[in-house]
Amino acid sequence: MDAYERSRPGCNQKTCDAVTGVCYRHNNHMFQPKLILVELRMNYENIRNLSKTELTGKERHTCDLLSDFGEEYPTGSYLCLVFKPAREQEALNWVSRQKNGSSGIDHWKVFSPDSFCNFIGYGIKDPYEPDLQTSDIADRINAAAMSADILKLESEWEQARMHLTKCSQRYELAACRYLAEKIRNSLGCFSTDNLKDDEMLEFEILQEDITTAIRRHLSDKM
């Protein structure tokens, strides 16, 4: 934030150390983005050196700077104070003492680096939930495999291939991985006991085609 402030005309004032962007996610789609103010106090040994007046001023001026962005990325409702783990509890106690009915700092939160990462969801991936089309394609190719009908399996694979290609082109990696796993599992359920020699050869060719396509779509996006 200091670097951003220096790029603007006017009198420089103290700002929060950083601003991080967060949002809600579902199936790796992001919505409701907002900015959260972060103050890094990793080198603090004596919590009594903290100043409520200084922190309030930093927060106010940082919010003023962020108003440049309008409503596109609204400022979140927290000021996050990050301390080394050994000082986290002391800092929590200090902030608690500063709060009262009219303090205006009820939104201040204290963290260690690890608890801050957990708070903003850093490194956490959503469990994938397939959309109806992806789920239906996976179900149909599984039904075809269970029927041990090579022609039906080939037909359903063509539909699955087109959908897999579309997901890959959109970088919907979770959908690609989900569909790839379902297709592999379905192939494992295909019974070859009653296949004739030519059908067995046809199945082996189809199996290789599917394996190659899946490998290409996944490796290209890694």
Side-chain angles (χ1 to χ4, degrees):
M1 286 305 301
D2 286 341
Y4 176 69
E5 185 189 38
R6 286 193 295 269
S7 70
R8 301 170 76 257
C11 179
N12 290 339
Q13 300 178 41
K14 290 184 177 181
T15 64
C16 293
D17 292 322
V19 173
T20 186
V22 297
C23 64
Y24 293 102
R25 298 189 309 164
H26 180 67
N27 280 351
N28 291 323
H29 292 290
M30 299 181 291
F31 58 98
Q32 295 184 17
K34 58 185 175 182
L35 301 173
I36 289 182
L37 279 58
V38 183
E39 183 72 9
L40 302 173
R41 296 300 177 107
M42 299 297 296
N43 62 338
Y44 255 58
E45 293 295 341
N46 190 345
I47 299 301
R48 287 178 294 181
N49 290 335
L50 289 170
S51 166
K52 176 184 174 183
T53 301
E54 179 189 17
L55 289 172
T56 301
K58 282 188 167 190
E59 179 184 16
R60 183 183 302 111
H61 184 52
T62 303
C63 287
D64 289 343
L65 292 175
L66 294 176
S67 66
D68 292 352
F69 300 100
E71 297 181 358
E72 183 177 4
Y73 294 105
T75 303
S77 55
Y78 297 109
L79 170 62
C80 300
L81 308 172
V82 184
F83 294 82
K84 64 176 65 177
R87 295 290 173 263
E88 181 181 15
Q89 187 58 52
E90 290 179 65
L92 278 168
N93 294 339
W94 181 86
V95 169
S96 179
R97 289 194 298 270
Q98 308 308 308
K99 293 181 178 180
N100 56 55
S102 59
S103 66
I105 64 169
D106 289 341
H107 60 290
W108 288 13
K109 289 190 172 294
V110 174
F111 302 95
S112 67
D114 285 344
S115 61
F116 178 65
C117 287
N118 291 335
F119 177 70
I120 64 173
Y122 177 77
I124 298 176
K125 296 184 178 180
D126 299 324
Y128 175 70
E129 296 178 12
D131 57 33
L132 291 177
Q133 185 180 13
T134 303
S135 180
D136 182 60
I137 288 173
D139 289 341
R140 292 205 313 267
I141 202 166
N142 183 67
M146 295 297 292
S147 72
D149 185 333
I150 186 66
L151 294 178
K152 187 176 180 180
L153 182 61
E154 287 175 335
S155 176
E156 295 299 342
W157 162 238
E158 285 306 314
Q159 296 299 314
R161 183 207 296 273
M162 288 190 290
H163 189 64
L164 186 62
T165 299
K166 182 173 67 175
C167 292
S168 176
Q169 291 171 343
R170 294 177 178 174
Y171 283 82
E172 297 176 354
L173 300 186
C176 288
R177 295 189 185 103
Y178 171 86
L179 193 54
E181 181 182 5
K182 292 295 183 180
I183 293 171
R184 291 192 188 107
N185 292 341
S186 296
L187 286 178
C189 297
F190 191 97
S191 175
T192 60
D193 294 345
N194 298 320
L195 293 184
K196 300 175 183 178
D197 290 345
D198 59 335
E199 291 176 328
M200 186 64 193
L201 178 60
E202 190 174 355
F203 174 73
E204 290 173 352
I205 293 173
L206 176 62
Q207 195 173 31
E208 180 62 27
D209 180 45
I210 292 174
T211 301
T212 301
I214 288 175
R215 185 183 301 117
R216 182 177 69 253
H217 284 302
L218 291 182
S219 62
D220 285 352
K221 306 300 178 186
M222 297 305 288

